[in-house]
Coordinates of all heavy atoms in Angstrom, one line a residue:
K1 N 3.8 1.9 -19.2 CA 3.7 0.7 -18.4 C 2.7 0.8 -17.3 O 2.8 0.4 -16.1 CB 5.1 0.6 -17.6 CG 6.3 0.6 -18.5 CD 6.2 -0.6 -19.6 CE 7.4 -0.6 -20.5 NZ 7.3 -1.7 -21.6
C2 N 1.4 1.0 -17.9 CA 0.3 0.9 -17.0 C 0.0 -0.5 -16.6 O -0.4 -0.7 -15.4 CB -1.0 1.4 -17.7 SG -2.3 1.7 -16.7
A3 N 0.4 -1.5 -17.3 CA 0.4 -2.8 -17.1 C 1.7 -3.4 -17.6 O 2.5 -2.8 -18.5 CB -0.8 -3.6 -17.9
T4 N 2.0 -4.5 -16.8 CA 3.4 -5.1 -17.2 C 3.1 -6.4 -18.1 O 2.3 -7.2 -17.6 CB 4.1 -5.6 -15.7 OG1 4.2 -4.3 -15.0 CG2 5.4 -6.2 -15.9
I5 N 3.8 -6.4 -19.1 CA 3.9 -7.6 -20.0 C 5.1 -8.5 -19.7 O 6.3 -8.0 -19.7 CB 3.9 -7.1 -21.4 CG1 2.9 -6.1 -21.8 CG2 3.9 -8.3 -22.4 CD1 1.4 -6.5 -21.5
S6 N 4.9 -9.7 -19.5 CA 5.9 -10.7 -19.3 C 5.6 -12.0 -20.1 O 4.8 -12.8 -19.7 CB 6.0 -11.0 -17.8 OG 7.1 -11.9 -17.6
G7 N 6.2 -12.1 -21.2 CA 5.9 -13.2 -22.0 C 4.5 -13.1 -22.6 O 4.2 -12.0 -23.2
K8 N 3.6 -14.2 -22.3 CA 2.4 -14.1 -22.9 C 1.4 -13.4 -21.8 O 0.2 -13.5 -22.1 CB 1.9 -15.5 -23.3 CG 1.7 -16.5 -22.4 CD 1.4 -17.8 -22.8 CE 1.3 -18.8 -21.8 NZ 0.7 -20.2 -22.3
R9 N 1.9 -13.1 -20.7 CA 1.0 -12.6 -19.6 C 1.1 -11.1 -19.5 O 2.0 -10.5 -19.7 CB 1.4 -13.3 -18.4 CG 0.9 -14.7 -18.2 CD 1.3 -15.3 -16.9 NE 0.7 -16.8 -16.8 CZ 1.1 -17.8 -17.5 NH1 2.2 -17.8 -18.3 NH2 0.5 -19.0 -17.3
M10 N -0.1 -10.6 -19.1 CA -0.2 -9.3 -18.7 C -0.6 -9.0 -17.2 O -1.6 -9.7 -16.9 CB -1.3 -8.5 -19.6 CG -1.6 -7.0 -19.2 SD -2.9 -6.1 -20.3 CE -2.1 -6.0 -21.8
F11 N 0.2 -8.3 -16.5 CA -0.2 -8.1 -15.1 C -0.8 -6.6 -14.9 O 0.0 -5.7 -15.2 CB 1.1 -8.3 -14.2 CG 1.6 -9.7 -14.2 CD1 2.6 -10.0 -15.4 CD2 1.4 -10.7 -13.4 CE1 3.0 -11.4 -15.4 CE2 1.8 -12.1 -13.5 CZ 2.7 -12.3 -14.5
L12 N -1.9 -6.6 -14.3 CA -2.5 -5.3 -14.1 C -2.8 -5.0 -12.8 O -3.7 -5.7 -12.1 CB -3.7 -5.2 -14.9 CG -4.6 -3.9 -15.0 CD1 -3.9 -2.7 -15.4 CD2 -6.0 -4.0 -15.7
A13 N -2.3 -3.9 -12.0 CA -2.7 -3.6 -10.8 C -3.8 -2.4 -11.0 O -3.5 -1.3 -11.5 CB -1.7 -2.8 -9.9
P14 N -5.1 -2.7 -10.7 CA -6.2 -1.8 -11.2 C -6.3 -0.5 -10.5 O -6.8 0.4 -11.0 CB -7.5 -2.8 -10.9 CG -7.0 -3.7 -9.7 CD -5.6 -3.9 -10.0
N15 N -5.8 -0.3 -9.3 CA -5.8 0.9 -8.6 C -4.7 1.8 -9.2 O -3.5 1.7 -8.9 CB -5.5 0.7 -7.1 CG -5.8 2.1 -6.4 OD1 -6.0 3.0 -6.9 ND2 -5.9 1.8 -5.0
L16 N -5.2 2.8 -9.9 CA -4.2 3.6 -10.8 C -3.8 4.7 -10.0 O -2.6 5.2 -10.1 CB -4.8 4.1 -12.1 CG -4.0 4.9 -13.1 CD1 -2.8 3.9 -13.5 CD2 -4.8 5.2 -14.2
M17 N -4.7 5.6 -9.4 CA -4.4 6.8 -8.9 C -4.4 7.0 -7.3 O -4.1 8.1 -6.8 CB -5.1 8.0 -9.5 CG -4.7 8.1 -11.1 SD -5.8 9.4 -11.8 CE -5.1 10.8 -11.0
N18 N -4.8 6.0 -6.6 CA -5.1 6.4 -5.2 C -4.6 5.1 -4.3 O -5.2 4.6 -3.4 CB -6.5 6.6 -4.9 CG -6.9 7.1 -3.6 OD1 -6.0 7.7 -3.0 ND2 -8.2 7.1 -3.2
K19 N -3.3 4.8 -4.7 CA -2.7 3.6 -4.1 C -2.0 3.9 -2.7 O -1.2 4.8 -2.6 CB -1.8 2.9 -4.9 CG -1.3 1.5 -4.5 CD -0.4 0.9 -5.7 CE -1.1 0.6 -6.8 NZ -0.3 0.0 -7.8
W20 N -2.2 3.1 -1.6 CA -1.6 3.2 -0.3 C -0.3 2.2 -0.5 O -0.5 1.0 -1.0 CB -2.4 2.9 0.8 CG -3.4 3.8 1.3 CD1 -3.9 4.8 0.6 CD2 -4.0 3.9 2.7 NE1 -4.8 5.6 1.3 CE2 -4.9 5.0 2.6 CE3 -3.8 3.1 3.7 CZ2 -5.5 5.3 3.8 CZ3 -4.5 3.4 4.8 CH2 -5.4 4.5 4.9
D21 N 0.9 2.8 -0.2 CA 2.0 1.8 -0.4 C 2.8 1.8 0.9 O 3.9 1.1 1.0 CB 2.8 2.2 -1.5 CG 3.4 3.6 -1.3 OD1 3.2 4.4 -0.3 OD2 3.9 4.2 -2.4
S22 N 2.2 2.5 2.1 CA 3.1 2.4 3.4 C 2.2 2.6 4.5 O 1.1 3.1 4.3 CB 4.2 3.4 3.4 OG 3.6 4.8 3.2
T23 N 2.5 2.3 5.7 CA 1.9 2.6 7.0 C 2.8 2.9 8.0 O 4.1 2.9 7.8 CB 1.2 1.1 7.4 OG1 2.4 0.2 7.6 CG2 0.3 0.7 6.3
P24 N 2.4 3.5 9.1 CA 3.3 4.0 10.2 C 3.9 2.8 10.9 O 3.6 1.7 10.6 CB 2.2 4.6 11.1 CG 1.0 4.8 10.3 CD 0.9 3.9 9.4
N25 N 4.9 3.1 11.5 CA 5.8 2.2 12.3 C 5.0 1.6 13.4 O 4.1 2.0 14.0 CB 7.0 2.8 12.8 CG 7.9 3.3 11.7 OD1 8.0 2.7 10.6 ND2 8.7 4.3 12.1
T26 N 5.3 0.2 13.6 CA 4.9 -0.5 14.8 C 5.3 0.3 16.0 O 6.6 0.7 16.2 CB 5.2 -2.0 14.8 OG1 4.8 -2.6 13.5 CG2 4.7 -2.7 15.9
V27 N 4.4 0.3 17.1 CA 4.9 0.9 18.3 C 4.8 -0.2 19.5 O 3.6 -0.6 19.7 CB 4.2 2.2 18.7 CG1 4.6 2.7 20.1 CG2 4.4 3.2 17.6
E28 N 5.9 -0.6 20.0 CA 5.7 -1.6 21.1 C 5.3 -0.9 22.4 O 5.8 0.2 22.7 CB 7.0 -2.2 21.6 CG 7.5 -3.1 20.3 CD 6.8 -4.4 20.0 OE1 6.1 -4.8 21.0 OE2 6.7 -4.8 18.8
K29 N 4.3 -1.4 23.1 CA 3.8 -0.7 24.4 C 3.5 0.8 24.2 O 3.9 1.6 24.9 CB 4.9 -0.8 25.5 CG 5.3 -2.3 25.9 CD 6.2 -2.5 26.9 CE 6.6 -3.9 27.3 NZ 7.7 -4.1 28.2
R30 N 2.5 0.9 23.2 CA 2.0 2.3 23.1 C 1.5 3.0 24.3 O 0.6 2.2 25.1 CB 1.0 2.3 21.9 CG 0.2 3.5 21.9 CD 0.4 4.2 20.3 NE -0.2 5.4 20.3 CZ -0.1 6.1 19.1 NH1 0.5 5.6 18.2 NH2 -0.7 7.3 19.1
T31 N 1.8 4.1 24.6 CA 1.3 4.9 25.8 C 0.4 6.1 25.5 O -0.3 6.5 26.4 CB 2.6 5.4 26.6 OG1 3.2 6.3 25.8 CG2 3.5 4.2 27.0
L32 N 0.4 6.5 24.2 CA -0.4 7.8 24.0 C -1.5 7.4 23.3 O -1.7 6.4 22.5 CB 0.4 8.6 23.1 CG 1.7 9.2 23.7 CD1 2.5 10.1 22.7 CD2 1.5 9.9 25.1
E33 N -2.6 8.2 23.5 CA -3.9 8.0 22.6 C -3.7 8.1 21.1 O -2.6 8.8 20.7 CB -4.8 9.0 23.1 CG -5.5 8.9 24.4 CD -6.7 9.9 24.6 OE1 -6.4 11.2 24.4 OE2 -7.8 9.5 24.8
V34 N -4.4 7.5 20.4 CA -4.4 7.5 18.9 C -5.3 8.6 18.4 O -6.6 8.6 18.8 CB -4.8 6.2 18.2 CG1 -4.7 6.3 16.8 CG2 -3.7 5.2 18.8
V35 N -4.9 9.7 17.7 CA -5.5 10.8 17.4 C -5.7 10.9 15.7 O -4.6 10.9 15.2 CB -5.1 12.0 17.8 CG1 -6.0 13.3 17.3 CG2 -5.1 12.1 19.3
R36 N -6.8 10.7 15.2 CA -7.0 10.8 13.6 C -7.8 12.1 13.7 O -8.9 12.3 14.2 CB -7.9 9.7 13.2 CG -7.1 8.5 12.8 CD -7.8 7.7 11.7 NE -8.3 8.4 10.6 CZ -7.5 8.9 9.6 NH1 -6.3 8.6 9.5 NH2 -8.1 9.7 8.7

């Protein structure tokens, strides 16, 4: 199921192996520095 078939249509998400699907939580009134 690399691509999804629905009737006559094919749906393809092209990013196969390096997909981001989440992010950190929102922080209200952040007080600390951001460190990457």
Side-chain angles (χ1 to χ4, degrees):
K1 302 300 180 182
C2 189
T4 301
I5 307 298
S6 179
K8 64 179 183 178
R9 285 179 171 79
M10 174 184 288
F11 298 86
L12 176 65
N15 187 350
L16 183 63
M17 293 181 68
N18 198 10
K19 187 180 295 185
W20 284 24
D21 56 11
S22 64
T23 60
N25 295 329
T26 302
V27 178
E28 298 291 339
K29 298 180 180 179
R30 170 125 186 171
T31 60
L32 301 177
E33 284 187 309
V34 179
V35 179
R36 276 201 47 82

